Amino acid sequence: MEEDTGIQKRPWDTCREVPVIKDEQTPWRLIKLLKVIVLCVVCILVFGFALCSKTSFLLLITVANKSTRILSTEQKPVALLCIGCSLIASSVLLIPQSIWKACYKKPKIPRRSTIALVMFFEFLVSLGAAILTIVAMPHLDIVTNVTILNGVGVLSALLQVTTQCCGKERGFFLLTSITACLLFLIGYILFVVLYIRKDPSDIKMAMWVGLAVGGSLLVSFNWWENYFRLMSVNSRSVFFKNFTKDVKKCQNILNILSGLLRIAVTACVLGAFVPLSKMDWDVVTAIPRQETRIIAIMIGVQLFSSLLCHWCSLAACKMHALRRCFIIPLYLASLAVMALLVVPVIVYYYDYRSSLNGTAAINFTGYCHNVVYGRDQNLNGSVFPHLVLDVTHTLCFLDMSKMLDIGMLTGEAVSLWLGLVLATIHLWHLNVLRIERTQNLFIRRLYEGSFIEQSLLLNTRFDFPIKRKKKNFKVFEPANVYVCATMWHETYDEMMNIIISLFRLDVYRSKNEPKFNDFTFEAHIYFDDAFKDVKGQEGRGLNEYAKNLVKVLTEVYVIFLNIDTKLFKKHRQVPDQIIMRTSYGGQLVFTMPEGNTIVVHFKDKDLIRHKKRWSQVMYLYYLLGWKLMTKYYKRWKKGEDEDEITAQVLNEKHNTYLLALDGDTDFHPTALMLLIDRLRIYPNVGAACGRIHPTGTGPTVWFQKFEYAVSHWLQKTAEHVFGCVLCSPGCFSLFRAEALMDDNVMKRYATKSMEASHYVQYDQGEDRWLCTLLLKQGWRIEYNAASDAYTNAPIDFKELFNQRRRWGPSTFANVVDILGDTTMISKRNSSMSKLFMIYLLFAITSAIMAPATICLMIAGSLAFVFNIHSSAALVIAVIPPIIYLILCFKLKPDTQIKVAAIFSIVYAFLMLVVIMSIIGTMVKEKTILTPSSIFVIAMAIIYITTAFMHPQEFSLVFHGFLYILCIPSAYLLLIIYSMVNMNNVSWGTREVKAPTETPKPAVSTPQTLTQRVKSEWARFIAWFKCCKKSNQPAMERRISVLISEPEQAQPEPQNTIVEDVRILQEEEERYFLKMEHSNLKSWVEALKTYSEDMHLHEDTLNEEEDMFWRELQEKYLEPLHYDKEKQDIIASDLQDLRNKINFVFFTLNALWLVATFTLQLFNATFSIQLPKFDLNMENTGENVQIDPIAFMFILGFALSVVIQFFAMLYHRVCTLIHYVAFLDTEPVEKKPEEPEYLPGKKSPASEYSASSVADSLSTNTSIGADDSWDESDDDIIEFVGQGEATSL
């Protein structure tokens, strides 16, 4: 079409209403500041823990020296024992971890040759470490002890040279590796010469020196695996290749064996050296208290600082702060340890010389004889001077007054330190993915606490390093993301949210001018029930909801493209788009400004099965079945290699993701990228969900905001950390195609409900059921707290109750289904252990007992306020729930909700009384150490602390007060309503009333002659179509609607299944409407007329795709025909299921209440007596009586909350690491230079131009590119996968 250029019809109406496009909710400046603070803290922690670990370890070795005075000669075995503990600490931690993984991850048994060779290397390493640290180092000076540990990288340097030569990578880093070898050799030579030349006849000293050199060489075998894996790639030896593969696959078993071997070898060396040195182990139990405290502090600091240094180093690498928070701090740690130990020696020495006032000339040797050797062994007062003098004692062997000795000692230290630096210089150019897996960062899980910085640097993955001067973009398999949204009766504003989100994504990853190759996407919207009967139009036309979507697409396109840049100038707003008729309704193919497409599938419920689950089945089979598999099937039919095709299919299934959305979801591209990270890095993750934020206002929404927050803060994080997330909500979740196409997932998800339990589990919570199928197949589901999405929440009481009426029974059914298959799931799914199943069992038990728990809580408040017996209070508290339970069985659902609303108001006031009663109890009893008080205070502290850990959401704490007031409504009335109405399987939300212009005719009214003729004619046409259909091939059949004989209307039973019943009279009127208006325009023509600002071009589907839709409709999505007899049976079965489950459910609650009532009657006999303490922690002499059942339940609930709290802390750290890494690695598109304008003149570009939107998205997703931690000094910044910077 030609462009419509002209003058505005209404020049006075040029103002616009523009929705929010930019991310105005995320405080990017604070996040940028947080990122800088986090990196600074991690850098300081790595440096500090490495410093503490190395210093405490060297002090232990100094104390173990026979000549030092802090410990007497007889007490030296204690120090040696602590050194041995430091050597085996990591093995002790590794063994149970490997046993756990071996039990739940199907361990593979290594071959005997692999075991023998690995055990040989481990024996050499453990023997060398024990000889070096236990036998040799206690006889050397402190400077040599600091520097000789750097010499453990000598074999790594040699293997680097060998690896690069084998890989034919002879470049800059080959030279550095050779130089490192030479420096190590020079350092060892200087060390040997320095000690041997002092007294060549001292055989013992020569032996200690030889053991030190030999021990360090043996320890350097520790990282052989880092280089063998690369050498095996180009090796021709089959044994060598199989050996390295076997080592990688059987790590858990090998770690267990190597850990046990290390412990045994260290114990043997320690056990043999002590008797050979004429020391006795009996002194270990007789060491004085002061010495015990000193040794305990040293070994405690050493063990914990080593472990924490390992964890912080891992966090630094995952944050992509490899250089600034990992390499540099560890390089400086050795120098800092040297300064920390030597500087006090020098200060004390010069202080002593100054104290002589020049009366005597004294050198370092004289200082040793006068001060160091002549001091007493009394440890009264500060220990620090004794430690300094003991360190000085180790240096007295060398004549520090001679420049030659000082020069040789300095040369030795510098050579070995520089050798370590050059041996690990390749780490400056290491390729690291965002949130890289630990096993890909560090070759061995084992860290060496005795030389922590050397082990961390040398254990980091070695790759063939090539220094590049320009940016390099590493080729990585791009992901293909299908964004799939389901719509039904969304409002105009809700549609605006999701369409703007899709256009943001279009700007973020442009298809017309792609700048990043991390992923491509295609959006699909599946619009349920989009058609209606329209008078004066041929066939059925789009309803108002579908038309609103077309209007929203047009408006958002204009906002993002912003064509109207000239005053009073009218342009064609949107380019031509494609509209197509399909066998299920129609398609609108909409191309966004940057070239990505949105395909809107308008569904006619008369032609295809409707409701959300069937829309999901529709896009699963279309995108994964048709679009993914058909192209490979064509290639296979042409005779291409089947193995190659199979490999390509598996690869594409693995890298294809589906983003499931609701029709009102609002999200930003960063949220999607964070979910993609989880699936790309971890291949066993089948789905990942983000943090869902309910939007809206009003008390109902405020309640949901805090409920959602607590659920995500504690429950979802605990599931993520200890097992798997049980439900990945369909409003914002990313699924892996490989997981969805797995056995018993997609195929079973398309199963039609045939039994009463199916309607509850399959249709009422389709998202949770899909996740249950994934978990049963062994896939992991994760939660990413930094991936934020916003969705509208029910704003009125009735809609909330109906929503939870669906969710409650479905959740219960799916959790019971998982618990019923505990053994099978634990074997298939390595993330879901039996301990996690116990946690789920307790959680579901707590949910079942919630009504009784609320009754007990209310009874306690009544007893306190009205000063009545607890048994009488319990009877009074149970009466209202029983009344409401009876009313629910008798009244209609809407009336039940009205009664619940009245009860909720009463209970809210009662909850206020409960809160005041608990506070009153504390004041009256003058103690907070009662079980109820401790529980309430502990829960308040946990929730407030949790909110502080989520600073962006801390304001939700103020909604917590409303949440507390609504606890009886949510956990008593709502549960009763959900359980009683379990047989009502209607959707319950977003439902609209049936049109009132065509009232249902009375049953008793007889049909007129005309009506009878129409009815007979309609039945004849239906019979003719049916006969004609049977003669057509299966591939070409259209789904037809059969019109049955009108049934006598009967009143529907209350609380039964609600189905879409097509009334015969409506079908007849629709048919004759088509006959009368056959010459009128179709819905396509009507839509063309409706969309004035967008020209629609009608096209047709290709024959193959059209055939696919017909076959899919025929097999899985044919509309469900109304069968009154069958529906009556299902309704009866649902009632029976409801009655059985309700009987068990309420009986369990009643049993607990009866048991509690009985215990309260015999309170003095069965109660638990606990002493009562006042606020000063003094015993008042009184006892507090506690119901044992209530006490155990409260204790169990508190324990579960505490477990969730610690899981939240761990998850917050992991989320922070991921988010900082994302901010630091997301590629930034350079902003276009803006033209300069004269002062006082505005730019003619609009505020919401496409470029400004792109800039805002880039800024929001890439904060940190210009912060104080600028990496402009790096030689290279690489991007891997989803734009990860790989050189840090």
Side-chain angles (χ1 to χ4, degrees):
M1 280 192 176
E2 296 181 359
E3 185 176 357
D4 180 18
T5 60
I7 306 300
Q8 285 282 358
K9 294 180 180 180
R10 301 181 182 91
W12 50 268
D13 189 14
T14 57
C15 299
R16 297 184 301 165
E17 180 182 2
V18 180
V20 176
I21 296 177
K22 298 181 181 179
D23 185 3
E24 298 181 357
Q25 299 182 3
T26 305
W28 291 107
R29 291 186 178 180
L30 292 178
I31 290 177
K32 176 181 177 180
L33 178 62
L34 175 64
K35 172 200 162 186
V36 175
I37 294 174
V38 168
L39 293 178
C40 290
V41 169
V42 172
C43 178
I44 293 172
L45 289 178
V46 171
F47 175 78
F49 287 135
L51 184 65
C52 292
S53 174
K54 182 56 68 71
T55 303
S56 57
F57 181 73
L58 291 172
L59 289 177
L60 280 174
I61 290 178
T62 301
V63 170
N65 190 304
K66 285 189 175 182
S67 302
T68 54
R69 303 294 181 86
I70 287 184
L71 291 181
S72 63
T73 305
E74 295 80 9
Q75 297 170 350
K76 299 299 181 182
V78 178
L80 296 176
L81 180 62
C82 292
I83 295 173
C85 292
S86 176
L87 292 176
I88 66 173
S90 58
S91 298
V92 172
L93 295 175
L94 180 64
I95 290 174
Q97 180 185 6
S98 299
I99 291 175
W100 177 269
K101 291 184 177 181
C103 292
Y104 288 100
K105 291 193 175 181
K106 300 179 181 179
K108 295 184 179 180
I109 306 300
R111 291 173 296 187
R112 294 181 181 180
S113 58
T114 302
I115 295 176
L117 194 53
V118 170
M119 291 302 103
F120 172 71
F121 285 124
E122 293 299 321
F123 173 77
L124 294 180
V125 172
S126 55
L127 179 64
I131 291 175
L132 176 64
T133 57
I134 296 174
V135 179
M137 289 179 65
H139 300 88
L140 306 177
D141 67 277
I142 191 67
V143 176
T144 300
N145 284 338
V146 173
T147 58
I148 198 171
L149 294 178
N150 293 328
V152 298
V154 57
L155 185 61
S156 294
L158 289 172
L159 290 175
Q160 287 178 19
V161 175
T162 306
T163 302
Q164 293 181 74
C165 290
C166 293
K168 300 179 181 179
E169 295 287 349
R170 301 180 179 87
F172 172 79
F173 290 99
L174 179 61
L175 180 61
T176 59
S177 299
I178 295 174
T179 306
C181 294
L182 295 177
L183 288 172
F184 282 129
L185 181 61
I186 293 172
Y188 279 121
I189 292 174
L190 291 175
F191 163 60
V192 173
V193 172
L194 177 63
Y195 271 83
I196 297 301
R197 65 182 289 273
K198 282 295 180 182
D199 188 1
S201 61
D202 190 347
I203 304 300
K204 285 189 175 182
M205 181 53 65
M207 181 180 66
W208 303 137
V209 171
L211 289 176
V213 175
S216 62
L217 291 176
L218 291 178
V219 172
S220 64
F221 279 92
N222 195 25
W223 301 281
W224 57 270
E225 188 179 345
N226 204 358
Y227 309 98
F228 278 25
R229 65 182 181 87
L230 292 178
M231 288 190 287
S232 64
V233 175
N234 297 314
S235 176
R236 297 181 180 179
S237 172
V238 177
F239 172 80
F240 195 26
K241 289 180 178 291
N242 293 334
F243 169 72
T244 53
K245 290 180 181 179
D246 208 22
V247 169
K248 184 177 181 180
K249 293 180 180 179
C250 309
Q251 276 193 350
N252 292 321
I253 300 299
L254 293 175
N255 285 335
I256 295 172
L257 296 177
S258 62
L260 294 174
L261 180 63
R262 285 193 172 213
I263 294 174
V265 171
T266 304
C268 291
V269 172
L270 187 60
F273 178 68
V274 170
L276 292 176
S277 300
K278 299 181 180 179
M279 293 183 285
D280 193 356
W281 284 111
D282 295 337
V283 74
V284 174
T285 59
I287 187 171
R289 183 176 181 180
Q290 180 70 1
E291 285 80 356
T292 302
R293 184 182 297 112
I294 295 172
I295 294 297
I297 292 175
M298 287 183 182
I299 187 61
V301 170
Q302 205 284 326
L303 294 178
F304 283 102
S305 59
S306 299
L307 179 62
L308 293 175
C309 184
H310 173 71
W311 284 350
C312 292
S313 299
L314 181 61
C317 295
K318 287 177 176 286
M319 285 181 180
H320 269 241
L322 198 68
R323 294 181 178 180
R324 40 198 170 169
C325 296
F326 177 69
I327 300 175
I328 293 177
L330 293 180
Y331 281 167
L332 297 179
S334 295
L335 301 180
V337 169
M338 182 82 71
L340 185 63
L341 294 175
V342 174
V343 168
V345 173
I346 298 174
V347 171
Y348 272 56
Y349 168 59
Y350 279 100
D351 284 347
Y352 176 73
R353 291 187 60 177
S354 299
S355 65
L356 297 178
N357 295 323
T359 57
I362 188 171
N363 56 14
F364 187 78
T365 304
Y367 172 72
C368 289
H369 285 287
N370 296 338
V371 178
V372 179
Y373 297 156
R375 64 192 171 101
D376 58 11
Q377 201 168 344
N378 188 1
L379 295 181
N380 294 331
S382 176
V383 181
F384 182 74
H386 295 278
L387 288 174
V388 174
L389 293 176
D390 273 356
V391 171
T392 307
H393 194 287
T394 63
L395 293 169
C396 289
F397 172 78
L398 302 174
D399 192 355
M400 293 293 101
S401 60
K402 295 182 179 180
M403 292 303 299
L404 179 60
D405 289 353
I406 296 176
M408 294 183 67
L409 190 61
T410 305
E412 169 201 342
V414 171
S415 297
L416 294 177
W417 184 79
L418 287 178
L420 178 65
V421 170
L422 292 179
T424 56
I425 197 69
H426 63 275
L427 297 180
W428 287 75
H429 304 279
L430 182 65
N431 294 337
V432 179
L433 296 175
R434 193 155 59 217
I435 60 166
E436 183 69 88
R437 303 186 70 178
T438 304
Q439 65 189 33
N440 295 332
L441 280 172
F442 297 129
I443 297 301
R444 301 171 60 87
R445 298 181 195 163
L446 209 61
Y447 67 92
E448 305 296 338
S450 51
F451 30 91
I452 185 67
E453 69 268 30
Q454 290 85 5
S455 69
L456 290 174
L457 290 170
L458 295 171
N459 192 34
T460 309
R461 187 183 77 241
F462 176 81
D463 287 329
F464 290 121
I466 302 176
K467 188 175 181 181
R468 307 174 181 92
K469 294 296 182 181
K470 298 181 180 180
K471 290 184 179 181
N472 176 66
F473 292 86
K474 186 176 179 180
V475 178
F476 198 88
E477 184 72 24
N480 185 25
V481 180
Y482 290 112
V483 182
C484 302
T486 55
M487 282 189 178
W488 183 29
H489 288 163
E490 279 73 16
T491 64
Y492 184 89
D493 292 335
E494 291 172 343
M495 293 179 184
M496 184 70 73
N497 288 335
I498 189 172
I499 298 303
I500 288 178
S501 300
L502 296 178
F503 274 71
R504 289 193 197 109
L505 199 58
D506 177 58
V507 175
Y508 184 73
R509 288 295 180 264
S510 173
K511 185 177 181 181
N512 293 335
E513 298 179 0
K515 297 179 176 62
F516 310 106
N517 192 29
D518 48 3
F519 77 92
T520 59
F521 81 96
E522 181 180 301
H524 291 261
I525 298 176
Y526 292 80
F527 208 114
D528 257 318
D529 195 13
F531 289 85
K532 67 176 182 179
D533 292 327
V534 181
K535 293 183 178 180
Q537 180 176 313
E538 178 188 353
R540 287 160 60 80
L542 294 180
N543 58 25
E544 295 303 320
Y545 296 102
K547 291 180 180 179
N548 281 342
L549 178 59
V550 177
K551 185 177 180 181
V552 168
L553 286 169
T554 305
E555 291 191 6
V556 175
Y557 192 104
V558 173
I559 292 171
F560 273 77
L561 192 60
N562 197 17
I563 299 176
D564 296 331
T565 57
K566 294 185 179 180
L567 193 62
F568 302 128
K569 192 71 174 176
K570 180 183 177 183
H571 290 265
R572 181 164 58 87
Q573 301 290 324
V574 183
D576 290 354
Q577 308 295 344
I578 299 174
I579 188 75
M580 291 183 288
R581 306 170 197 259
T582 62
S583 60
Y584 58 83
Q587 274 189 19
L588 172 62
V589 182
F590 191 93
T591 303
M592 291 180 283
E594 297 299 325
N596 296 290
T597 59
I598 300 177
V599 181
V600 182
H601 302 261
F602 295 114
K603 296 173 56 181
D604 188 342
K605 69 177 183 179
D606 287 348
L607 302 176
I608 193 169
R609 201 171 300 175
H610 69 293
K611 293 190 178 181
K612 184 176 180 179
R613 180 160 74 96
W614 301 115
S615 291
Q616 291 176 331
V617 171
M618 185 176 173
Y619 67 64
L620 287 175
Y621 276 93
Y622 174 55
L623 300 175
L624 305 184
W626 164 254
K627 298 196 72 172
L628 193 150
M629 296 299 297
T630 304
K631 56 186 177 183
Y632 292 105
Y633 174 72
K634 293 179 180 178
R635 290 174 53 188
W636 176 77
K637 288 186 68 176
K638 292 180 181 179
E640 295 188 23
D641 184 59
E642 185 172 354
D643 294 337
E644 180 181 353
I645 293 176
T646 302
Q648 292 177 4
V649 168
L650 293 176
N651 182 62
E652 183 168 355
K653 288 164 63 176
H654 186 78
N655 292 295
T656 299
Y657 310 132
L658 265 70
L659 179 65
L661 301 174
D662 278 350
D664 59 353
T665 304
D666 183 13
F667 69 97
H668 286 266
T670 56
L672 174 58
M673 288 301 305
L674 291 169
L675 295 184
I676 290 177
D677 284 347
R678 305 303 304 182
L679 270 66
R680 300 193 80 163
I681 299 299
Y682 303 100
N684 64 326
V685 175
C689 62
R691 167 69 165 97
I692 309 301
H693 299 266
T695 59
T697 185
T700 305
V701 178
W702 297 337
F703 167 82
Q704 293 174 85
K705 284 186 176 182
F706 187 80
E707 182 194 30
Y708 272 65
V710 172
S711 174
H712 285 85
W713 291 350
L714 296 175
Q715 181 180 342
K716 258 189 168 44
T717 54
E719 291 174 354
H720 173 96
V721 172
F722 298 120
C724 283
V725 174
L726 300 184
C727 179
S728 189
C731 58
F732 187 71
S733 294
L734 190 67
F735 294 88
R736 190 189 301 276
E738 183 182 5
L740 294 172
M741 300 175 73
D742 201 357
D743 296 339
N744 301 320
V745 178
M746 199 165 85
K747 182 73 173 180
R748 189 174 179 188
Y749 191 66
T751 303
K752 185 170 65 174
S753 299
M754 302 299 294
E755 301 176 4
S757 60
H758 294 171
Y759 285 92
V760 177
Q761 184 178 6
Y762 297 0
D763 296 329
Q764 299 297 282
E766 66 288 330
D767 306 327
R768 186 174 287 271
W769 184 48
L770 179 60
C771 293
T772 299
L773 297 177
L774 292 174
L775 294 175
K776 285 187 173 184
Q777 285 301 115
W779 292 97
R780 176 172 171 79
I781 301 175
E782 292 193 346
Y783 164 61
N784 190 304
S787 180
D788 296 310
Y790 303 85
T791 183
N792 285 6
I795 59 176
D796 58 50
F797 194 80
K798 175 183 176 181
E799 193 174 5
L800 176 62
F801 260 55
N802 282 328
Q803 182 193 67
R804 302 307 168 89
R805 183 255 300 156
R806 288 189 291 111
W807 289 2
S810 171
T811 300
F812 178 80
N814 281 280
V815 174
V816 170
D817 189 10
I818 291 174
L819 292 174
D821 292 332
T822 296
T823 303
M824 183 268 291
I825 294 176
S826 297
K827 289 181 178 179
R828 286 186 179 181
N829 198 322
S830 59
S831 298
M832 300 187 68
S833 64
K834 291 185 178 180
L835 288 176
F836 179 68
M837 294 297 188
I838 295 175
Y839 168 80
L840 291 183
L841 179 62
F842 181 80
I844 194 65
T845 303
S846 302
I848 293 174
M849 296 300 181
T853 305
I854 301 301
C855 291
L856 292 174
M857 180 183 64
I858 295 172
S861 64
L862 293 175
F864 175 80
V865 173
F866 299 103
N867 196 21
I868 59 178
H869 193 271
S870 57
S871 300
L874 180 58
V875 173
I876 296 174
V878 170
I879 291 176
I882 293 177
I883 294 174
Y884 182 67
L885 178 63
I886 296 173
L887 291 177
C888 285
F889 278 99
K890 296 297 182 180
L891 301 177
K892 294 181 179 180
D894 289 349
T895 309
Q896 298 172 29
I897 294 176
K898 293 178 182 178
V899 174
I902 298 173
F903 276 25
S904 297
I905 297 174
V906 176
Y907 273 124
F909 284 100
L910 190 58
M911 280 302 298
L912 183 61
V913 175
V914 170
I915 297 172
M916 301 306 297
S917 67
I918 294 175
I919 298 174
T921 303
M922 298 180 191
V923 176
K924 180 180 178 180
E925 302 291 340
K926 295 182 180 180
T927 180
I928 61 172
L929 300 180
T930 60
S932 60
S933 302
I934 294 174
F935 175 76
V936 171
I937 293 174
M939 292 301 101
I941 293 174
I942 286 177
Y943 285 134
I944 293 175
T945 305
T946 302
F948 270 113
M949 297 296 295
H950 301 75
Q952 294 181 0
E953 305 174 41
F954 184 78
S955 60
L956 297 178
V957 171
F958 299 104
H959 300 317
F961 183 72
L962 175 64
Y963 178 81
I964 293 174
L965 296 182
C966 296
I967 283 178
S969 178
Y971 295 98
L972 179 62
L973 302 177
L974 179 55
I975 289 181
I976 293 174
Y977 174 79
S978 300
M979 297 304 295
V980 174
N981 291 275
M982 182 186 299
N983 57 323
N984 183 356
V985 293
S986 65
W987 200 248
T989 55
R990 298 187 186 275
E991 292 185 340
V992 294
K993 294 182 180 180
T996 57
E997 62 269 20
T998 55
K1000 188 174 181 179
V1003 177
S1004 58
T1005 303
Q1007 290 182 329
T1008 63
L1009 178 61
T1010 304
Q1011 290 175 336
R1012 288 198 299 269
V1013 171
K1014 288 184 177 181
S1015 178
E1016 294 297 330
W1017 175 253
R1019 283 195 294 271
F1020 172 75
I1021 294 298
W1023 173 83
F1024 177 76
K1025 288 183 177 181
C1026 183
C1027 296
K1028 184 179 179 181
K1029 175 182 175 182
S1030 61
N1031 296 325
Q1032 293 175 346
M1035 299 290 187
E1036 299 177 355
R1037 293 179 185 171
R1038 283 188 178 270
I1039 298 177
S1040 60
V1041 180
L1042 301 181
I1043 302 175
S1044 58
E1045 191 74 29
E1047 297 282 350
Q1048 183 75 14
Q1050 296 180 359
E1052 280 204 23
Q1054 296 173 0
N1055 305 324
T1056 57
I1057 180 172
V1058 179
E1059 285 289 339
D1060 296 322
V1061 181
R1062 282 172 292 160
I1063 303 173
L1064 175 63
Q1065 286 79 0
E1066 294 180 357
E1067 296 293 337
E1068 295 172 356
E1069 291 178 6
R1070 186 180 307 156
Y1071 174 78
F1072 284 102
L1073 191 64
K1074 295 179 181 179
M1075 297 290 292
E1076 294 171 5
H1077 302 283
S1078 58
N1079 59 339
L1080 300 178
K1081 60 183 178 182
S1082 65
W1083 68 270
V1084 174
E1085 298 297 329
L1087 187 60
K1088 289 181 179 180
T1089 305
Y1090 177 78
S1091 56
E1092 297 178 355
D1093 297 328
M1094 177 175 65
H1095 298 291
L1096 296 177
H1097 171 68
E1098 186 173 2
D1099 200 353
T1100 58
L1101 291 176
N1102 63 67
E1103 184 178 353
E1104 293 181 350
E1105 185 173 346
D1106 183 64
M1107 184 74 68
F1108 157 76
W1109 284 116
R1110 296 177 188 279
E1111 292 177 354
L1112 180 66
Q1113 290 172 245
E1114 183 178 0
K1115 184 167 185 180
Y1116 292 111
L1117 300 176
E1118 185 177 2
L1120 297 173
H1121 300 292
Y1122 179 67
D1123 186 341
K1124 187 177 185 305
E1125 181 180 357
K1126 182 179 179 181
Q1127 296 302 324
D1128 291 341
I1129 295 175
I1130 293 297
S1132 176
D1133 291 344
L1134 281 168
Q1135 283 186 335
D1136 291 342
L1137 178 67
R1138 186 269 312 266
N1139 295 337
K1140 292 176 183 177
I1141 294 178
N1142 276 259
F1143 176 77
V1144 175
F1145 183 88
F1146 291 110
T1147 300
L1148 291 175
N1149 281 270
L1151 288 175
W1152 188 25
L1153 291 174
V1154 170
T1156 305
F1157 179 79
T1158 305
L1159 290 173
Q1160 289 176 350
L1161 289 178
F1162 302 96
N1163 193 25
T1165 306
F1166 297 104
S1167 62
I1168 299 174
Q1169 305 288 332
L1170 293 178
K1172 181 180 176 182
F1173 294 88
D1174 58 15
L1175 297 176
N1176 297 322
M1177 300 300 295
E1178 295 181 358
N1179 195 340
T1180 61
E1182 301 178 2
N1183 292 329
V1184 178
Q1185 296 182 350
I1186 305 173
D1187 176 9
I1189 296 179
F1191 176 74
M1192 294 303 297
F1193 186 81
I1194 291 176
L1195 183 64
F1197 179 78
L1199 179 62
S1200 67
V1201 173
V1202 170
I1203 292 174
Q1204 291 176 351
F1205 177 75
F1206 284 106
M1208 180 273 301
L1209 293 178
Y1210 174 79
H1211 191 266
R1212 290 307 291 168
V1213 173
C1214 296
T1215 301
L1216 181 63
I1217 291 172
H1218 186 186
Y1219 201 62
V1220 171
F1222 176 81
L1223 293 175
D1224 210 35
T1225 59
E1226 183 65 6
V1228 183
E1229 181 181 356
K1230 291 185 178 180
K1231 298 182 180 181
E1233 296 183 0
E1234 298 182 358
E1236 296 182 357
Y1237 296 94
L1238 296 176
K1241 299 292 184 180
K1242 290 185 178 180
S1243 167
S1246 175
E1247 179 184 0
Y1248 292 99
S1249 63
S1251 61
S1252 66
V1253 175
D1255 294 341
S1256 68
L1257 292 175
S1258 299
T1259 303
N1260 291 345
T1261 57
S1262 305
I1263 295 296
D1266 57 347
D1267 59 18
S1268 59
W1269 290 97
D1270 189 11
E1271 291 192 358
S1272 57
D1273 58 327
D1274 295 349
D1275 293 332
I1276 171 180
I1277 297 180
E1278 295 180 349
F1279 296 95
V1280 179
Q1282 50 273 42
E1284 303 88 330
T1286 59
S1287 178
L1288 302 167

